[in-house]
Each structure stands twice: as structure tokens, then as C-alpha cells.
Amino acid sequence: MFKLIFESVPNRMNRKDFIKALALLPLSAAAMKLQDLRKVTDTFQNTSLMPVWFIGHGNPMNVIQDNPFTRKLMEMGKSVTEKPNAILVVSAHWLTMRNTFVTVTPKPETIYDFGGFPEEMYQIKYPAPGAPEMAREVKNMVKSIEIQEDDHWGLDHGSWTVLKHMFPEADIPVFQMSIDYSKPPQFHYDLARELMALRRKGVLIIGSGNIVHNLRRADFHNTEKPYD
């Protein structure tokens, strides 16, 4: 029974402190129902409400630049006074069809999903650990669909080019959720509502994309007339 309880204790809590907390319970703990003990551990999981941010990440070159945008990213990172247990990134650069995935990779690789940029860009690493336990918690939390596990995808540039400025130490576990490109906007809105509880478990949620993208069709010479 106590093995089961210990598995539900969050990583940020020292297990010695957990034992001290149990000492405050009645000595007849053996008679206490398991569900009552779980109520105790549930209170340890709650944290202050973590932010949800949408970031128009822009040109990947921002990762090696010092400009108003990157300085704002640094400011946002410093504004988080309580260190997150994990960061969930929903990136516009991980699109899947007919399924939604979460990464369960313990050590996600830095993905260079772009081309034609300076060699310096391809030397940058963002070695944040993964968060497989939290990713599987998301699987259990979402009831409307069956979330799938992925152990190949790393951190695409929708993640690491902004996290590099926000949390340069790369010491917070990061995992990603894919966007099912076959689903309508309402599907994603409803899915997001099911993810709200993560904010009370110390998970900072970031949506990373932009309103427009398709740079191949952009006319950088015509600066007067906006594209349709």
C-alpha cells in the first residue's frame, strides 16, 4: 500500500518530508482507507497556477540575436517566480494526422527543422530533460480522446528557440504535444480545456506558432501592399 502512495508523491517533495507528514496522521493509519491517504498526497501535488503563454516565435534566427523580442522572452522567463515542474509545448511545427501524441523521451534531442540558416544555428543545443511521467499523466487526464505516446520526436524549433531565451539553464523538463491537423479548431479548444488541470500540477503551458507562416510565398521586395 505504501509503495502505491510513494509513487504518487511529486518529485519536488522530499520523501522524508512526506514521512513526517504521515506522522501527523492518526496512529491507526493502517485502518485508514487508501482513498483517504490519496487525498493527503493530492494536496502535495497542487501548486500555484502556472501561466499559459502563446508565443509567435518568428524567425529561428532570433535564437542567436539580441533584440526587443528576445529580451521580452527573457523577461517572461524571469517573471515565473516558482520553478515549474515541467513545461508542455504545443508547437506549430509538430503536426500529426488522426492522432494526438505526447513525447515520452527521457532526453529529447534538439531538432533543426529548418534550412538555409548560418552554421551557428545547427551547433546550438537545448539539453533539457524530458518529462515522460508527466506526459503519461496527460494521457490519463484526457478522456475525450486516446492520447498516443511518441518516443522519437525531440524539441523542434518552435520549442527550443524560445526556451533558450526564457530558461537558458535548460534544467526544467520539457515535453511536447502534437497538433492533429485533421481536426477542426473546436477539437483543439476542447482538448485545451482538459489540460487546464496541469497548471495546478506545476506545468507551464506554451503554444508556439504564429498567425502567418508560409515564408516561401512572401514577397520581401514589395513592402507596400500586404499579401492577401
Side-chain angles (χ1 to χ4, degrees):
M1 181 178 75
F2 281 96
K3 178 180 181 294
L4 181 62
I5 298 167
F6 270 123
E7 289 174 348
S8 68
V9 177
N11 292 334
R12 66 185 298 156
M13 181 182 183
N14 188 292
R15 290 187 175 183
K16 187 179 295 183
D17 293 336
F18 175 67
I19 293 173
K20 290 180 181 178
L22 282 181
L24 299 177
L25 298 174
L27 294 177
S28 57
M32 182 181 288
K33 293 181 180 178
L34 179 60
Q35 63 185 23
D36 292 330
L37 284 171
R38 280 201 170 279
K39 290 178 182 178
V40 175
T41 60
D42 285 344
T43 63
F44 296 140
Q45 294 177 0
N46 293 335
T47 67
S48 58
L49 196 65
M50 282 290 163
V52 175
W53 291 332
F54 176 79
I55 300 172
H57 61 253
N59 191 325
M61 286 285 291
N62 281 313
V63 75
I64 59 173
Q65 294 178 346
D66 177 14
N67 55 42
F69 173 70
T70 60
R71 288 192 290 273
K72 184 62 178 179
L73 291 178
M74 294 179 193
E75 181 183 323
M76 291 172 69
K78 292 177 180 177
S79 73
V80 183
T81 56
E82 183 179 354
K83 186 177 180 179
N85 290 331
I87 299 172
L88 168 61
V89 180
V90 183
S91 167
H93 293 281
W94 190 22
L95 303 180
T96 51
M97 290 288 286
R98 298 182 179 86
N99 276 303
T100 300
F101 292 82
V102 287
T103 55
V104 294
T105 314
K107 296 180 179 180
E109 294 184 0
T110 304
I111 302 175
Y112 307 101
D113 49 337
F114 45 68
F117 288 89
E119 183 61 27
E120 178 184 0
M121 298 278 291
Y122 303 92
Q123 304 305 316
I124 298 174
K125 302 287 185 183
Y126 192 76
E133 296 85 2
M134 188 59 72
R136 293 187 173 104
E137 174 71 12
V138 170
K139 282 190 59 178
N140 295 330
M141 179 184 301
V142 174
K143 305 300 183 185
S144 61
I145 60 170
E146 184 177 354
I147 302 289
Q148 306 294 317
E149 294 184 11
D150 180 280
D151 59 1
H152 297 294
W153 195 258
L155 301 179
D156 60 56
H157 80 269
S159 292
W160 64 266
T161 62
V162 295
L163 293 174
K164 184 76 173 176
H165 291 293
M166 301 173 83
F167 304 103
E169 298 84 2
D171 59 349
I172 302 172
V174 181
F175 67 111
Q176 288 197 207
M177 173 177 281
S178 73
I179 298 174
D180 186 343
Y181 205 57
S182 68
K183 301 295 185 182
Q186 185 66 47
F187 168 88
H188 299 290
Y189 178 84
D190 294 338
L191 176 58
R193 291 178 63 88
E194 292 187 83
L195 300 175
M196 287 174 60
L198 289 174
R199 300 177 66 192
R200 288 291 185 190
K201 294 182 179 292
V203 180
L204 188 155
I205 303 174
I206 297 176
S208 179
N210 226 324
I211 298 174
V212 295
H213 194 276
N214 211 348
L215 297 179
R216 287 183 293 273
R217 300 189 64 184
D219 183 357
F220 292 99
H221 301 289
N222 183 357
T223 58
E224 298 179 1
K225 182 181 178 182
Y227 196 78
D228 289 340

